Every structure is written in C-alpha cells, then in structure tokens.
Amino acid sequence: MSATERERYRALVERSADVIFIHDGTGIITYANETAVERVGLAREALVGHNALDLVHPDDRTRAADALHRTVASGEGEKEPFFARVRHADGHFLPVELVGNNLIDDDDVRGVVVTMRDIADRDRVDRLLVETEANYRRIVETAEEGVWTIDVGLTTTFVNRRMAEMLGIERQEMIGKSALEFIDNETRQEIGASLRSGVVDRGPRRLEVKLRHHDGHEVWAHCSAAPIVDVDGNHAGMVSLLTDITEQRAVEEQLRYNEARLTMLFQVSSDIMAILEPGGHWHASPAGTRILGYPIGWDPEGGILSLVHPDDLELAGIALEEVLAGTRGKHEPVRLRLRHLDGHYLWFDCTAENHIDNPTVRGLTIIARDVTEQKIAEDAQADAETRFRATFERSPLGIALITFDGEIIDANAAFIVMAGRTEDELIGVNLELLIHPDDRARVIAEGAARLLGESDSPPGPARLQHADGRVVWVMSDLSMVMTPDGEHDYTIVLVADVTERKKLEERLEYQAYHDPLTQLANRARLRNLLETAWESRGAPGRLALLFVDLDRFKQVNDTRGHEAGDELLLLVARRLERSVRGGDAVARFGGDEFVVICENIASRDEAVQIAGRIRESLARTYRLSSGEASVAASVGIAIDEGHESVDDLLRDADIAAYRAKELGRNRVELSHRDASGFPGYPSQSTARSSK
C-alpha cells in the first residue's frame, strides 16, 4: 500500500462517524481516533496507554472483560456485537454497541480493532415504542367503541371492555371463541363470508353487523375491520372497531317511515317553505316540522308572527309591508329569529313574494333558510376578533404581525416600547432588522424551523436593538395564521422582555464563581481556570502556580476581630491584583490562602520575580479602620516540569509555601519534585489545618 493510500485510510479512520480504537489484546488502548476523543470527552493521551475496561460501567465490566477474552481467544475475524455503557469525561454513561475484530496477527495492526457506536437514539426509540404501546393500550381500554381482534380462523383473540359491555358478557367469555357465535343467526352466514374474504384478500371491511346480546336482544353495530399483518408480512387476522348504532338505527327507521310521507316540496328543499294567506292562515312544508319541531298542520295562536322573537317583530312587520307594497324584492332577505317548539330560537334568512292575486296561491310565499350555525360562526368570529384585538392591545407581551417576507404589518404597544419606535416607524420594516446582527442568522433559522414544524422549540434568547442603541434581551415565539384556502395570511410573533432576568442570571453566575468578600475568583472558578491553563500550557516550563499563604494573619483576626481581618483580606486581594502581570489569574483558595496562575512565563526567574513582587507588596503596612497592621506572605512556586496533572502542580506549590513558612516565613520558595521529602512536611490536608 502506497504512502498516499495509507494517509487516505488514516484520514478515513480518524474522521469516522464511529469511535475506533485498538487495544493490545489485554485491554490496553494503543490507538484511538478523533471521534473517540470527541465522544468520550478525553484527550487522546488520556486514552492511549490506559485500559479500555476502565471506561466501562462497573455493572458491565465483567461482561466486557469476557467479551474481550472471547475475541482474543477465538482468533482472527469480526465478532458479534456487544452492548455496554461507556463513561464520558463529565461522568455520564453512553449506551454503545461494540464490535471487536481480532487483527493481532496482522502485522499492520497487531491488536484488536474495536468499533463503538452510540445507540442512545435507539434506546430513546425503544422507550418511545414502549410508551406508545402503553398509550395505545390505555386508549383501547378506555374507548367508547368496541375493539375486537380475530385470527385467520375467525377465533377471538382480544376484546376491550366496551366490546364485552355491548354484548353483556365478560371479556374472558369471548376469548378463544369464534366471532360467529356472537352474531345474529339471520346475518351470520353473510358476515362470516365477508370476514373470510377479508382474511383472504387482506382488504378492509366496513359493514353493519347484527349481534346478539347476552339477554337475547339485538345489538346493531357499525363495523370497520382491517387486516393484521405480522412482521414477516403474513396475514394474522383482522382487527375491528365496532360502534353501537342500535338507537341510531331505530331513529333512522322512524325517519325513513316519516320520509315516505313527505311531499315533493320537502324532498327538494331543506328550507322552510310556507304560504301565508290574507286571513292569517298558513301552510308550511315538512321542513318546518324538521327544523322548528312543530307538528304538521299546527297553527299557533297569534298566527305566524307569534313565532318571531319579540325583538325582531318590528323588523318582520316592516318587511311584510314592503313585500305587500312591492318595495322589497324576493331576493332581499331579512334576518330574524323564530321560536323552536322547545322554546329556543333559531336564526333564519327569510324572503317573501306577493302572490295574493295568483288564484292558485292566494297568499305570500315565504322561504326561510336556517342560518343558525352561520350566525353562530359569524358571531364567534366577531367575538374572537374583538378578544384578539383586546388581547393584542393590552398584552404585556410584545406582539407583532408580519408578512411571509417578515415585514411588520401591525405591532402592539408593548412591542413599540421594546423597539423604541413609533407604530408608523415600525410598519413596513422587516423584523429581522431589529434583531442584533450577532443573533440575526440564528433567530431566523430557528424561527423558520419552528414554523415549518421541524422544531418543537421556540427560538432561543436574542437581542433586540432599541432605537436609543441599548440592547433588549427577549424570548420569542411565532405562529402562522392561514387563510380558509390554506394560504399564509400572516405570522404572529410574541416577544417577552427578559432583560432583567438576563441581568439576574449574569449576577448569579458571577456570585457562583467569585469570593463574596474579595471579589476574586473562588475555589470553583479556580478549578476551571486551572484546568483551562493546564490544557493550553504548551511546552513544559511555561505554566507556574504561586501559592500565597499569609503570615501572622491569625494574630490580626484574634486581636482586632474578624471585621479587621476581612478588611485586611480585601486589601490583600487588591495588592495581589496589582502585583501580577496582565492576564494572570488570582483566586482565593480559602481563609488566608491565595493562588496565582501565571501562564506563558519566560523562565523560572520571571515566576520568582512575580512572587517577589507579591511578597514585597503584601509585607507593606496596612492602614485599617482600627489602625495599622502588618502581615507577610510565604509564597511557594511550582512550575510545570512533567507533572502528570494540575493537581500535582498545585500540591507542589502548596509544599513550597509550607517550606517557606518552615524556613522563617516572609519568603519565596521554589518547588522541587523531591520536596515531599522535606523534613517535617505533613500531608497536604494536615498542613493546611495547622496554618
């Protein structure tokens, strides 16, 4: 294989979507690709040379070790996948699938190649399937429709609660029995043939079934049956959804009986058609009975106008006079309310035509069209528009209506305040121009994903540019409003001002990582600073830690009190900040101890110079509220010279500070790797407790 091909294969392995590493057959990692570094969160040097089993969850480690031994013992070749949990650097465990390939005898590899694939998504899908199945079972068990499944032999395999209730028996009495046993004798043969044909051709079936209740009465049900196909594509039976339509059929039978007696007028029109005679008598089509509930031939006291709502009587009277006078045409409806038999009122559009002089009619022909639902919809729409406008205008949230292209077509008072512009200045402006340039592309992309249904999450926090130049932090969400034809009408954008919350979050974050007395970085922040400095330290000898331990501070605390001690610590912190270089980090380690992180030092001498400035600065007299006070500092220096971890480096700086105290205090000591042999040096925790 040529050098070019080797480089190509190496690049492919390094950039593989799967984690790939090689171990020597005992578990010691000899190679890990870039993906391994990214997925596990450990640097390559933290992986290579270490046992791969150390990364495996303790509960999976024994099985992993067995799999490793089997891979090595079984000789060359790829082995069956193995599932385990692998620890990430942050402590959480990743579910993964591992496949080992024994290439120990391959001169180019000389190890076992292990491919590791993250299967967290697969686990989530499995859990979702379990949840979906549970939800499906709850739906089936609580459904008001009967659910009935049969196998290819028409034997019942499952019924839900409602199905058994429809037949008045327990579910277990149906399981294992032929579905035909519960069908009425008159339709059993026909239904059986239909179900069998559905089993054969695997087609859905919709039919009405007459079942026999346990007490003997008929139960009519609408049945929608669909085939069940197993995972191998074989037909396994049918599932049916049955709705009890017994009462519905009784009503339908009555309606069919009544419909046989209806006149042609009723058959061709859904409107109420009536003839009003000059003497007040009137005759209406059967539609009047169907819509208003009055029996055929019923003549109310007071005539037809007695059915009109009192508030509409004047309007109805005027309309009749206009028809009689010939000033209202037959296509000019008047909208009014008519009373139903049960007392409630329905809305009608009524038209009339004068046929009094027509000898075959001798009256006014009136057509009344029921528009109750239309009126309700119109009123609901008007009410919704009123409520929306009230909400829009009074909402504490900023609301803007924008076109498909993002131009603002309306904005409420809250949005106007957030933008710092008048309504006239906002109308026609593209909303994206109000977003801070650094947030603009992200917010547009997140908003588009939200509108297209590609994301369930609204856009993240973003900055609006106020007209006066200040930044307003906002959270937003948006929703499209469609026309009845399904076209985009406009988009509603909701905006909440979270500037104060953002400031509070920043304050809380600052407090979490800073000492409340000195405002220096606290111990938690120090840990982050140490790890960052360690990761970016470069060549040995460029990173120095200075451990500063105040001398005689306890005496100030004991003689002057804690308030004086706090005042002194505050002055010490400021002197420390002025004594170090720009870019050096100062942190309070605890009590009267401080740590200084010096990156990119030129030499040991520079670290000693910095420590010397600190010692000299801290040794000068302090002017406290209670009078002058003096303390000094013992400073220990540790320089990275092949240390295995930043904790080792910090320990050496602490040891050097302890040695400075033992040698007389108020001095600087440089750490040596054998300093732990210094006579009388206790353990780190013991030393600190004794200071």
Side-chain angles (χ1 to χ4, degrees):
M1 182 183 295
S2 66
T4 300
E5 290 175 328
R6 286 181 178 274
E7 286 303 315
R8 183 177 300 147
Y9 284 126
R10 176 175 291 276
L12 288 173
V13 171
E14 283 292 312
R15 293 168 176 78
S16 169
D18 294 334
V19 173
I20 299 175
F21 61 85
I22 302 174
H23 67 77
D24 62 1
T26 67
I28 302 301
I29 298 173
T30 59
Y31 167 81
N33 67 351
E34 290 181 5
T35 308
V37 174
E38 294 172 359
R39 295 291 173 82
V40 182
L42 295 172
R44 203 186 301 264
E45 52 267 27
L47 292 170
V48 175
H50 294 78
N51 198 310
L53 293 175
D54 293 340
L55 299 175
V56 179
H57 192 284
D59 294 345
D60 300 340
R61 199 165 291 160
T62 300
R63 293 188 295 109
D66 292 341
L68 184 151
H69 296 322
R70 287 196 303 271
T71 301
V72 174
S74 61
E76 185 174 348
E78 187 171 287
K79 309 307 173 190
E80 290 294 323
F82 173 75
F83 299 90
R85 290 163 289 179
V86 173
R87 187 181 68 252
H88 189 273
D90 62 10
H92 81 276
F93 285 88
L94 305 170
V96 297
E97 177 189 82
L98 300 104
V99 179
N101 192 352
N102 186 345
L103 297 177
I104 292 177
D105 297 330
D106 189 318
D107 292 335
D108 291 330
V109 180
R110 294 190 178 278
V112 176
V113 179
V114 178
T115 303
M116 185 175 82
R117 176 167 298 170
D118 188 344
I119 59 171
D121 288 341
R122 189 191 305 174
D123 280 357
R124 283 193 291 272
V125 170
D126 289 342
R127 289 195 297 273
L128 181 60
L129 287 174
V130 172
E131 293 174 3
T132 302
E133 182 178 356
N135 290 335
Y136 168 76
R137 184 167 294 277
R138 282 193 294 271
I139 292 171
V140 169
E141 289 300 329
T142 58
E144 288 304 313
E145 291 79 18
V147 179
W148 193 347
T149 64
I150 59 175
D151 61 18
V152 292
L154 307 187
T155 299
T156 302
T157 57
F158 172 81
V159 291
N160 70 344
R161 170 193 57 81
R162 178 55 181 152
M163 189 66 249
E165 288 178 353
M166 287 170 61
L167 298 181
I169 57 178
E170 297 296 328
R171 287 194 287 184
Q172 56 268 28
E173 295 181 54
M174 297 183 67
I175 304 301
K177 294 182 179 180
S178 172
L180 299 179
E181 292 184 26
F182 306 98
I183 298 175
D184 186 85
N185 293 336
E186 293 180 6
T187 59
R188 182 176 299 168
Q189 185 174 355
E190 176 186 351
I191 299 302
S194 179
L195 292 177
R196 289 190 182 92
S197 64
V199 170
V200 173
D201 62 23
R202 303 187 181 184
R205 290 291 182 272
R206 291 180 178 84
L207 60 159
E208 289 189 358
V209 183
K210 185 164 68 170
L211 305 173
R212 183 61 60 183
H213 192 273
H214 181 65
D215 63 9
H217 77 266
E218 296 176 353
V219 177
W220 279 95
H222 177 77
C223 175
S224 295
I228 300 173
V229 181
D230 62 22
V231 295
D232 297 323
N234 298 319
H235 192 64
M238 300 193 78
V239 58
S240 301
L241 186 67
L242 291 95
T243 304
D244 189 341
I245 59 171
T246 306
E247 293 185 4
Q248 177 184 334
R249 280 183 62 88
V251 172
E252 290 173 351
E253 289 291 336
Q254 184 63 42
L255 286 176
R256 280 193 290 271
Y257 173 77
N258 292 337
E259 286 172 356
R261 304 174 62 193
L262 292 178
T263 63
M264 183 60 69
L265 182 63
F266 176 81
Q267 296 173 2
V268 299
S269 175
S270 60
D271 299 334
I272 299 176
M273 305 177 71
I275 297 175
L276 178 61
E277 298 176 355
H281 296 290
W282 60 291
H283 310 277
S285 67
T289 299
R290 178 171 56 83
I291 298 174
L292 291 176
Y294 297 105
I296 296 176
W298 181 75
D299 190 10
E301 294 183 11
I304 192 172
L305 289 179
S306 67
L307 301 181
V308 178
H309 192 283
D311 295 343
D312 300 336
L313 269 175
E314 182 178 355
L315 180 63
I318 293 173
L320 282 175
E321 291 177 359
E322 291 173 345
V323 170
L324 291 171
T327 57
R328 176 179 288 270
K330 62 181 179 180
H331 298 302
E332 298 180 63
V334 58
R335 180 165 291 184
L336 45 81
R337 288 161 286 182
L338 298 180
R339 188 178 67 250
H340 190 275
L341 178 64
D342 64 10
H344 76 277
Y345 284 87
L346 300 175
W347 283 95
F348 289 86
D349 279 347
C350 301
T351 59
E353 189 173 8
N354 187 352
H355 290 282
I356 292 178
D357 296 332
N358 186 331
T360 60
V361 179
R362 298 186 183 278
L364 300 179
T365 57
I366 300 173
I367 299 177
R369 175 164 295 173
D370 184 357
V371 293
T372 305
E373 292 186 1
Q374 177 183 336
K375 184 67 167 60
I376 292 173
E378 291 172 354
D379 291 347
Q381 182 177 356
D383 186 54
E385 290 175 354
T386 301
R387 289 199 305 271
F388 172 79
R389 180 50 58 178
T391 302
F392 181 84
E393 295 296 342
R394 301 172 188 172
S395 173
L397 296 176
I399 305 176
L401 309 184
I402 63 174
T403 66
F404 184 78
D405 296 325
E407 290 187 1
I408 299 174
I409 56 178
D410 201 355
N412 72 344
F415 189 89
I416 290 171
V417 171
M418 290 183 200
R421 296 165 174 82
T422 66
E423 184 176 1
D424 291 340
E425 290 173 333
L426 286 173
I427 302 302
V429 173
N430 198 298
L431 180 61
E432 67 180 59
L433 297 180
L434 303 181
I435 303 172
H436 193 282
D438 294 343
D439 298 337
R440 191 171 295 158
R442 173 183 59 81
V443 172
I444 292 173
E446 292 174 347
R450 176 73 159 164
L451 290 176
L452 295 174
E454 298 171 357
S455 172
D456 293 331
S457 302
R463 292 163 287 181
L464 284 185
Q465 294 178 305
H466 194 275
D468 62 11
R470 60 189 171 91
V471 167
V472 179
W473 278 96
V474 299
M475 290 292 293
S476 62
D477 202 355
L478 61 170
S479 176
M480 279 196 296
V481 177
M482 311 302 289
T483 67
D485 298 329
E487 299 294 329
H488 176 270
D489 193 0
Y490 58 87
T491 296
I492 302 176
V493 181
L494 301 178
V495 183
D497 186 341
V498 296
T499 305
E500 292 303 318
R501 189 179 79 182
K502 192 72 175 177
K503 291 179 180 178
L504 176 60
E505 290 173 353
E506 292 173 353
R507 287 198 300 271
L508 292 175
E509 183 177 6
Y510 181 86
Q511 293 169 3
Y513 289 102
H514 289 79
D515 177 53
L517 174 62
T518 64
Q519 300 304 306
L520 295 175
N522 61 11
R523 201 158 182 167
R525 177 63 176 156
L526 174 62
R527 167 52 57 184
N528 294 339
L529 293 171
L530 288 172
E531 291 177 352
T532 301
W534 182 257
E535 291 296 329
S536 59
R537 65 190 183 282
R542 301 298 303 278
L543 174 62
L545 297 186
L546 279 56
F547 198 100
V548 181
D549 193 347
L550 297 182
D551 301 327
R552 300 189 302 278
F553 174 74
K554 185 175 184 300
Q555 180 180 349
V556 174
N557 246 351
D558 292 344
T559 58
R560 303 282 187 92
H562 289 292
E563 290 185 2
D566 289 347
E567 187 178 356
L568 177 61
L569 288 174
L570 193 59
L571 294 174
V572 167
R574 301 291 81 79
R575 291 189 185 184
L576 279 171
E577 290 176 326
R578 291 194 294 269
S579 300
V580 300
R581 306 170 305 166
D584 291 343
V586 181
R588 185 179 180 189
F589 192 75
D592 58 355
E593 298 172 333
F594 302 84
V595 173
V596 180
I597 303 173
C598 301
E599 298 184 70
N600 299 316
I601 60 170
S603 63
R604 289 170 175 262
D605 291 342
E606 184 177 12
V608 173
Q609 290 173 5
I610 298 170
R613 288 200 302 270
I614 292 173
R615 185 195 65 77
E616 293 172 1
S617 175
L618 299 185
R620 295 198 302 271
T621 301
Y622 296 84
R623 297 181 184 277
L624 306 179
S625 301
S626 60
E628 294 185 347
S630 296
V631 296
S634 297
V635 184
I637 305 172
I639 299 174
D640 170 36
E641 295 175 327
H643 288 74
E644 292 186 1
S645 69
V646 72
D647 291 327
D648 290 343
L649 190 63
L650 180 61
R651 178 180 179 276
D652 284 355
D654 189 7
I655 292 173
Y658 180 82
R659 186 165 60 249
K661 278 191 178 291
E662 292 296 308
L663 293 175
R665 304 176 187 270
N666 191 22
R667 60 187 291 131
V668 175
E669 283 295 320
L670 189 63
S671 168
H672 301 287
R673 295 310 306 273
D674 61 352
S676 58
F678 181 76
Y681 181 79
S683 68
Q684 191 174 3
S685 60
T686 305
R688 185 161 293 112
S689 64
S690 66
K691 294 176 183 178

